[in-house]
Amino acid sequence: MIPLRRFRALILAVFLAACALHIMLDLLPKLGRRAARPSGEPGCSCAQPAAEAAAPGWAKARGRPGEPPAPASAAAGDSGWPNKHTLRILQDFSSDPSSNLTSHSLEKLPPAAEPAGGALRGPDPGAPRPRDPAHRPLLRDPGPRRSVPPPGPRGDGSLLARLFEHPLYQVAVPRLTEDDVLFHVNSDIRFHPKAAAESPGWPPGGPEDEAFLPTGEAAVDAYPNWLKFHLGINRYELYSRRSPAVEALLCDLGAQKITSVAMKSGGTQLKLIMTFQNYGQALFKPMKQTREQETPPDFFYFSDYERHNAEIAAFHLDRILDFRRVPPVAGRVINMTKEIRDVTRDKKLWRTFFISPANNVCFYGECSYYCSTEHALCGKPDQIEGSLAAFLPDLSLAKRKTWRNPWRRSYHKRKKAEWEVDPDYCEEVKQTPPYDGGQRILDLMDMTIFDFLMGNMDRHHYETFEKFGNETFIIHLDNGRGRFGKYSHDELSILVPLQQCCRVRKSTYLRLQLLAQEEYKLSLLMAESLRKDRVAPVLYQPHLDALDRRLRVVLRAVGGCVEKDGLHSVVHDDLDAEHRGSTQR
């Protein structure tokens, strides 16, 4: 019995000695850092700020814009970030940065003296900041941009303003009736700010409180801009030409505080639903490829990446063409740490965050195809560029009907769609509702021209508002695969619907002819319109030149139809007195 007791005591002693040695090994570095501190500093044993301690397993990215660089002693204490727990989590997710197309999610711009972009500046942009010689700002002012031409050929002010004053952009929509508007403003409904303030979801204080009248009613002018945009939707347009809510909404998309983030279900690529402080929502598409990066010629259209700058450019192109069927889209630089990871309640999204070998914050989310460590989205170090598209009204309030595009592609490597092998396919389409009457076939021709100018081969479906039946416009959604990245190639198969049907609106045809003139050149108008965006330049000069080239191709296609079938058979006159109306909107 005595030898057994001694053996047990020996085992216990060895265990205690091992524990003591382990504790000493953990404490020695901290004691060394404490001894290395100047005598005036408080002897805090934690090397990270309290804000970081509240989120275990994550360390704040060093050299973040808007924050002063850490002192040498703090840098020494932070040399081990991320901590051991984080490293253990990240071991399974690390990958070779060279295999990641998004490891450089912000483009390298020419160096200058000051950082650009209000989203990257600190709270006081005018105050001088201490600079760390080892730290380089994420974005620098690119200086004079060669890709942005002057406002107009004569240098006499805004070319866009002159375009919108042209008679073709003064044509009014028909007078609206109660059945022609998507929503009606009920002036009898009162809003009680006291009751809303007691709700835990209502943000306390702030400019929202100033928006309500003393009577407790909310004036229409005090509605958030996303709601004004929704209230402006009618049978003929998503927004009117001179709607101030659209410009204000574009500013909100680029500046409003993000309060929550969630992944959007469905789709082949990752998209995030972002909710703002004013309860508006937008769809975020992150940057996956640089602007000058062309789609490889061996890529199928259905395997190409969605481009965030294509979404932004599509909105501006749609407005210049006077379709007004694309919801407002704006570019923005997002802080992946503060504006995605720290505000999301989506655990599936949160778990995909990791630190790359280059010390950049990355995540990949969940989707059908491009959501893995090999296709992760990485910041520099945690800043990523993307597009934010304003949401349309909720489906519970305004139902939308989804239609299969008659000229949908096969989405197959070998098979071809029927329209690709049947030259008389349009005659069959025109005998099928809703294309056998009304304006729908003309809407499809507008969409065909719009897609060809962008190079979008991915228009498999389209949507309309159910309330308006078949007599309404087509909503141009999901333009991310517009091949502004393939500016050296014009995909002529996109124009097949126009060539087969040989139908076009007179207003569309005349505007295309106007935009082909040197005085109102499409590339100049696009450059001016895109210049206001926060991630400008959105398109480079080769993209803009491609727009002018493709516009000439469209006009040649319509001209060929006119020679074959005659002007009156091809061009539908929608500019008569019945369409002009009497009220300019």
Side-chain angles (χ1 to χ4, degrees):
M1 291 296 294
I2 294 178
L4 183 58
R5 289 178 180 176
R6 289 180 178 176
F7 180 73
R8 290 177 177 173
L10 180 62
I11 292 296
L12 181 59
V14 171
F15 176 74
L16 293 174
C19 289
L21 181 61
H22 182 75
I23 292 172
M24 290 180 63
L25 289 175
D26 278 350
L27 290 178
L28 277 176
K30 296 181 180 180
L31 294 174
R33 288 195 296 267
R34 180 180 295 181
R37 285 194 185 94
S39 58
E41 284 194 19
C44 177
S45 60
C46 181
Q48 295 178 350
E52 293 178 13
W58 292 93
K60 196 173 289 184
R62 290 171 289 185
R64 183 174 297 159
E67 295 180 2
S73 58
D78 197 34
S79 60
W81 90 279
N83 59 35
K84 292 188 296 181
H85 177 65
T86 304
L87 290 175
R88 284 196 294 269
I89 293 177
L90 303 180
Q91 282 171 354
D92 298 334
F93 301 116
S94 299
S95 60
D96 183 8
S98 63
S99 67
N100 181 6
L101 290 176
T102 60
S103 59
H104 301 285
S105 61
L106 290 180
E107 299 187 52
K108 296 179 180 178
L109 300 176
E114 293 292 332
L120 298 182
R121 293 191 180 100
D124 185 8
R129 279 187 259 172
R131 304 185 69 87
D132 185 352
H135 167 64
R136 286 170 26 186
L138 292 175
L139 288 180
R140 295 180 181 271
D141 184 20
R145 297 184 180 115
R146 289 177 295 176
S147 61
V148 180
R154 299 193 303 265
D156 54 353
S158 170
L159 184 59
L160 267 178
R162 287 194 285 123
L163 176 76
F164 293 149
E165 292 299 324
H166 192 277
L168 284 173
Y169 290 81
Q170 301 295 316
V171 180
V173 300
R175 186 180 296 276
L176 299 179
T177 65
E178 289 187 359
D179 295 332
D180 293 333
V181 294
L182 191 62
F183 295 117
H184 298 279
V185 179
N186 190 347
S187 58
D188 295 332
I189 296 178
R190 299 194 176 200
F191 184 86
H192 299 282
K194 182 178 180 181
E198 294 172 356
S199 172
W202 187 263
E208 292 86 353
D209 295 338
E210 303 171 3
F212 303 106
L213 301 179
T215 59
E217 296 178 341
V220 175
D221 291 340
Y223 288 171
N225 294 310
W226 62 266
L227 183 54
K228 293 179 185 177
F229 163 60
H230 290 176
L231 293 175
I233 299 174
N234 60 62
R235 183 185 296 274
Y236 309 103
E237 56 194 2
L238 269 181
Y239 55 91
S240 60
R241 293 189 185 98
R242 290 165 179 81
S243 171
V246 172
E247 291 297 332
L249 181 55
L250 291 175
C251 294
D252 285 352
L253 292 173
Q256 270 280 331
K257 181 181 179 181
I258 299 169
T259 57
S260 69
V261 177
M263 286 187 293
K264 183 182 184 297
S265 59
T268 59
Q269 304 184 33
L270 179 67
K271 307 176 188 70
L272 301 178
I273 298 174
M274 294 188 168
T275 305
F276 302 114
Q277 192 172 18
N278 66 354
Y279 302 102
Q281 288 186 311
L283 187 67
F284 178 74
K285 290 188 178 182
M287 179 178 181
K288 296 185 176 71
Q289 290 179 308
T290 57
R291 286 159 175 74
E292 73 276 5
Q293 203 169 355
E294 281 205 272
T295 302
D298 293 327
F299 268 41
F300 284 96
Y301 54 90
F302 50 81
S303 60
D304 195 8
Y305 286 109
E306 293 189 13
R307 296 176 180 266
H308 74 296
N309 62 323
E311 291 282 359
I312 302 168
F315 165 73
H316 292 265
L317 177 62
D318 174 85
R319 185 166 58 171
I320 289 173
L321 294 173
D322 201 42
F323 293 154
R324 287 167 284 126
R325 300 166 193 170
V326 175
V329 185
R332 180 166 175 171
V333 177
I334 297 291
N335 186 310
M336 297 165 62
T337 305
K338 293 181 178 179
E339 296 181 300
I340 300 180
R341 193 205 71 207
D342 290 351
V343 299
T344 185
R345 296 182 181 178
D346 191 334
K347 291 184 179 180
K348 292 181 179 179
L349 174 62
W350 190 89
R351 288 169 182 164
T352 64
F353 275 84
F354 63 93
I355 307 293
S356 73
N359 278 344
N360 294 323
V361 179
C362 305
F363 74 102
Y364 52 88
E366 288 187 0
C367 60
S368 302
Y369 291 98
Y370 301 113
C371 289
S372 63
T373 51
E374 291 78 13
H375 302 97
L377 304 165
C378 295
K380 297 288 286 182
D382 59 357
Q383 309 281 323
I384 188 169
E385 188 178 304
S387 65
L388 280 164
F391 265 29
L392 292 173
D394 191 86
L395 292 176
S396 62
L397 301 174
K399 293 182 180 179
R400 299 194 299 272
K401 188 170 183 179
T402 301
W403 305 79
R404 181 187 174 96
N405 186 358
W407 281 270
R408 181 184 187 271
R409 296 178 182 271
S410 64
Y411 289 84
H412 194 276
K413 296 181 180 68
R414 291 177 296 276
K415 294 181 181 179
K416 289 189 175 183
E418 184 180 352
W419 59 267
E420 295 181 274
V421 295
D422 183 5
D424 298 323
Y425 178 76
C426 183
E427 296 302 319
E428 180 182 343
V429 172
K430 289 192 289 188
Q431 297 174 12
T432 307
Y435 309 105
D436 57 348
Q439 306 291 316
R440 184 62 59 84
I441 196 73
L442 295 170
D443 286 339
L444 280 180
M445 298 304 106
D446 286 347
M447 186 171 66
T448 296
I449 295 170
F450 177 64
D451 285 338
F452 177 73
L453 292 175
M454 293 192 302
N456 184 12
M457 303 173 66
D458 192 38
R459 190 72 67 184
H460 44 83
H461 288 83
Y462 64 87
E463 295 184 13
T464 60
F465 286 108
E466 192 173 290
K467 176 182 178 179
F468 303 135
N470 292 335
E471 296 299 324
T472 187
F473 61 91
I474 290 174
I475 308 172
H476 297 165
L477 293 174
D478 199 8
N479 305 294
R481 282 206 172 114
R483 294 193 174 188
F484 284 109
K486 206 168 185 179
Y487 45 78
S488 59
H489 172 72
D490 300 336
E491 185 55 51
L492 298 178
S493 65
I494 303 175
L495 273 184
V496 166
L498 178 64
Q499 295 167 334
Q500 289 182 346
C501 297
C502 279
R503 292 285 284 168
V504 67
R505 281 189 174 94
K506 183 178 182 180
S507 59
T508 300
Y509 187 38
L510 292 178
R511 289 188 188 106
L512 294 177
Q513 291 177 321
L514 179 69
L515 297 173
Q517 299 177 12
E518 286 295 324
E519 187 179 1
Y520 296 101
K521 200 171 184 181
L522 179 58
S523 59
L524 296 177
L525 290 162
M526 280 291 289
E528 180 183 340
S529 186
L530 291 169
R531 192 180 302 135
K532 300 177 183 178
D533 197 89
R534 288 173 175 261
V535 298
V538 176
L539 299 179
Y540 284 163
Q541 192 59 45
H543 305 118
L544 301 171
D545 295 338
L547 286 173
D548 292 330
R549 183 180 68 243
R550 292 168 184 170
L551 177 57
R552 293 192 293 269
V553 174
V554 173
L555 290 174
R556 284 199 297 268
V558 177
C561 288
V562 171
E563 290 181 4
K564 181 178 67 173
D565 299 331
L567 182 66
H568 294 290
S569 298
V570 174
V571 179
H572 172 76
D573 188 3
D574 61 331
L575 298 177
D576 55 17
E578 180 183 352
H579 289 85
R580 280 198 295 267
S582 58
T583 303
Q584 176 66 46
R585 302 189 73 243

